[in-house]
């Protein structure tokens, strides 16, 4: 009896959607979608049914075409072959159908064989058996349909509860077979790795490098034959680290340009104090200490009288001067004047110390930015100045220059 086999080519009919067709076939064969693709469709072309009579085979071919996939009914034979295409084994197929389904670059192997052969159309066609002779016409009594055969339906495709016929196991591979050639290295993965390395050096590039690394991984996932997954993973790790460091870095604030520092002028004395100094006896002016530096000469131009007490620490200079004197040439009001780098920056006391009520006992620079002042509170009794007050004055740098501030 002439037996036929049903071969699934793996090609879809024109205008068919692959996802829809795969879902139909998986339902018809009673398989899960992923299992059907892996065990059947990705191994096409292959035999899915064997030992069918011609009518049943033609009917099932029509059913498969109605589902949207190409299928053929070929003579069944015990001589089977396997195809290897793009490092994936496909089949099995009848040996007589090798020329029909093999493509340039494919390799083929006999079922149960140990050696793979490169397929060449001219060389293989000479090895194929000659076509079958035309069969003699059957007698009329055998070709007339009967009532029994006219209503006989071909066997249906496997239902949900039926298990599809498993293809023959893959052919063994010989131990001396050369290893498969490695796929090409993906340039996308290499570029992503370089971008990730540059992102570690220049952090604003991190978002672009991260997107490039994710794109490289998706690109390689859809192309399993390409190499470079290590590069893509390394690129993702580098770019993610650079992105984290870049986001943690505070945004630089544009530094405001400080205004140019203008030296504070020494305020002139009030008219009453100026008159008091002008009317002071000549012998009082003779008792005034002579200036020792530019800071002292600056105070003299402001009509102050130096007492001779002064200190310098580093770039800070503090001098005591009398704002006014009495008839006995004794200072009636004292003030401390602070200079930084030779520039007058302010007075240490908010109001001049009047010896009758507040005596400026002592002052000292602990360092070039801290001034310690000792004041004694006096009463109406002469010489009664026992209570003392300590004031700490700091020399502080500011946007407009150095300033003075009291430490509470």
């Amino acid at each position: 009896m002439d037996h036929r086999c049903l071969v699934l080519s793996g090609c879809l009919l024109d205008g068919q959607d692959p996802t829809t067709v795969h879902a139909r076939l998986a339902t018809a064969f009673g398989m899960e979608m992923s299992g059907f693709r892996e065990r059947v469709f990705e191994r096409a072309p292959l035999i899915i049914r064997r030992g069918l009579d011609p009518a049943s085979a033609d009917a099932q071919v029509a059913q498969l075409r109605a589902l949207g996939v190409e299928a053929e009914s070929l003579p069944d034979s015990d001589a089977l072959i396997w195809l290897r295409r793009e490092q994936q084994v496909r089949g099995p197929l009848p040996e007589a159908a090798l020329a029909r389904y093999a493509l340039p670059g494919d390799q083929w192997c006999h079922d149960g064989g140990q050696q793979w052969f490169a397929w060449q159309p001219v060389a293989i066609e000479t090895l194929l058996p000659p076509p079958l002779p035309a069969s003699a016409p059957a007698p009329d009594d055998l070709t007339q349909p009967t009532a029994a055969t006219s209503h006989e339906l071909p066997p249906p495709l496997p239902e949900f509860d039926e298990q599809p016929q498993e293809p023959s196991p893959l052919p063994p591979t010989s131990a001396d077979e050369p290893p498969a050639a490695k796929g090409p290295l993906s340039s996308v993965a290499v570029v992503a790795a370089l971008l990730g390395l540059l992102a570690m050096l220049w952090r604003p590039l991190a978002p672009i490098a991260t997107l490039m690394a994710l794109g490289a991984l998706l690109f390689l996932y859809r192309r399993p034959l390409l190499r470079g997954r290590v590069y893509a993973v390394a690129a993702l790790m580098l770019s993610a680290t650079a992105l984290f460091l870049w986001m943690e870095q505070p945004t630089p604030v544009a530094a405001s340009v400080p205004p140019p520092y203008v030296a504070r002028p020494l305020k002139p004395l009030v008219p009453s104090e100026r008159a008091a100094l002008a009317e002071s006896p000549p012998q009082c002016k003779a008792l005034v200490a002579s200036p020792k530096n530019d800071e002292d000469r600056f105070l003299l131009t402001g009509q102050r009288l130096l007492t001779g007490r002064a200190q310098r620490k580093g770039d800070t200079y503090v001098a005591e001067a009398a704002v006014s004197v009495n008839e006995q040439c004794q200072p009636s009001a004292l003030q401390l004047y602070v200079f930084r780098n030779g520039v007058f920056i302010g007075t240490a006391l908010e109001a001049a110390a009047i010896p009758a009520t507040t005596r400026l006992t002592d002052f000292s620079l602990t360092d070039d930015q801290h001034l310690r002042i000792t004041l004694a509170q006096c009463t109406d009794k002469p010489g009664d100045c026992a209570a003392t007050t300590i004031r700490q004055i700091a020399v502080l740098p500011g946007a407009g220059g150095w300033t003075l501030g009291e430490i509470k």
Side-chain angles (χ1 to χ4, degrees):
M1 183 178 179
D2 182 18
H3 291 286
R4 312 288 288 182
C5 63
L6 190 61
V7 178
L8 183 68
S9 66
C11 300
L12 305 182
L13 298 178
D14 294 338
Q16 297 292 330
D17 180 60
T19 304
T20 304
V21 174
H22 292 176
R24 292 174 186 167
L25 292 173
T27 303
F29 281 85
M31 300 176 65
E32 295 290 337
M33 186 72 166
S34 58
F36 172 76
R37 285 181 177 175
E38 179 181 357
R39 297 166 56 187
V40 178
F41 218 83
E42 292 182 358
R43 291 176 54 184
L46 80 162
I47 298 173
I48 59 175
R49 294 295 296 273
R50 299 185 65 186
L52 300 175
D53 59 86
S56 300
D58 294 339
Q60 294 197 17
V61 167
Q63 290 181 9
L64 290 173
R65 287 180 173 272
L67 295 176
V69 69
E70 289 186 357
E72 286 187 287
S73 173
L74 299 177
D76 198 357
S77 172
D78 292 334
L80 302 177
I81 57 98
W82 295 81
L83 286 177
R84 184 162 66 180
R85 180 182 300 164
E86 297 178 354
Q87 306 302 323
Q88 185 176 8
V89 177
R90 303 168 183 264
L93 291 170
E95 185 175 355
L98 177 60
R100 182 188 300 270
Y101 293 106
L103 298 177
D106 289 353
Q107 293 179 318
W108 66 279
C109 172
H110 290 288
D111 186 27
Q114 299 291 329
Q115 186 175 4
W116 291 92
F117 304 95
W119 182 76
Q120 298 178 1
V122 177
I124 296 301
E125 287 177 359
T126 59
L127 299 176
L128 296 179
L132 296 175
S135 59
D140 294 340
D141 55 350
L142 296 179
T143 59
Q144 295 296 328
T146 63
T149 60
S150 60
H151 296 285
E152 184 180 357
L153 296 177
L157 291 176
E159 299 297 336
F160 290 99
D161 55 348
E162 296 183 5
Q163 296 295 330
Q165 182 176 353
E166 294 290 337
S168 303
L170 299 180
T173 307
S174 59
D176 56 351
E177 180 183 352
K182 293 184 178 180
L185 181 63
S186 173
S187 58
V188 177
V190 176
V191 172
L194 293 177
L195 279 178
L197 186 60
L198 290 177
M200 292 296 296
L201 302 177
W202 190 52
R203 304 289 167 70
L205 191 61
I208 301 176
T210 304
L211 293 177
M212 187 67 182
L214 292 175
L217 286 175
L218 182 60
F219 179 81
L220 293 175
Y221 176 76
R222 295 182 177 179
R223 293 162 178 83
L225 297 181
L226 289 179
R227 295 184 295 120
R229 287 167 179 78
V230 176
Y231 289 90
V233 172
L236 183 60
M237 295 178 62
L238 289 174
S239 57
T241 303
L243 181 62
F244 175 77
L245 296 176
W246 180 60
M247 294 179 65
E248 288 294 325
Q249 182 179 2
T251 305
V253 180
S256 58
V257 179
Y261 177 71
V262 179
R264 298 171 56 185
L266 188 64
K267 295 181 180 180
L269 297 176
V270 297
S272 59
E273 294 174 346
R274 188 185 306 116
L277 284 176
E279 295 176 358
S280 60
Q283 63 270 21
C284 293
K285 296 183 179 180
L287 296 176
V288 173
S290 58
K292 300 179 181 179
N293 46 46
D294 292 338
E295 292 91 339
D296 292 345
R297 283 185 283 272
F298 176 79
L299 292 176
L300 292 179
T301 59
Q303 299 180 354
R304 271 74 173 172
L305 298 180
L306 300 175
T307 62
R309 292 201 302 177
Q311 281 196 15
R312 183 185 298 274
K313 275 288 179 95
D315 296 330
T316 304
Y317 179 75
V318 180
E320 182 187 52
V323 178
S324 62
V325 295
N326 56 20
E327 296 178 353
Q328 288 79 26
C329 297
Q330 296 297 323
S332 58
L334 294 174
Q335 183 63 271
L336 295 177
Y337 298 89
V338 184
F339 297 82
R340 181 76 182 186
N341 294 323
V343 178
F344 172 66
I345 62 175
T347 57
L349 301 176
E350 296 179 358
I354 300 175
T357 58
T358 304
R359 180 179 300 177
L360 181 55
T361 305
D362 189 21
F363 66 91
S364 61
L365 284 169
T366 55
D367 53 39
D368 62 346
Q369 289 188 337
H370 293 88
L371 174 63
R372 187 174 186 272
I373 303 173
T374 304
L375 298 174
Q377 303 296 327
C378 301
T379 62
D380 296 338
K381 298 180 180 180
D384 187 8
C385 300
T388 58
T389 302
I390 305 297
R391 299 182 63 181
Q392 298 285 343
I393 306 298
V395 182
L396 305 174
W402 293 85
T403 58
L404 297 177
E406 185 175 0
I407 302 175
K408 300 295 183 179

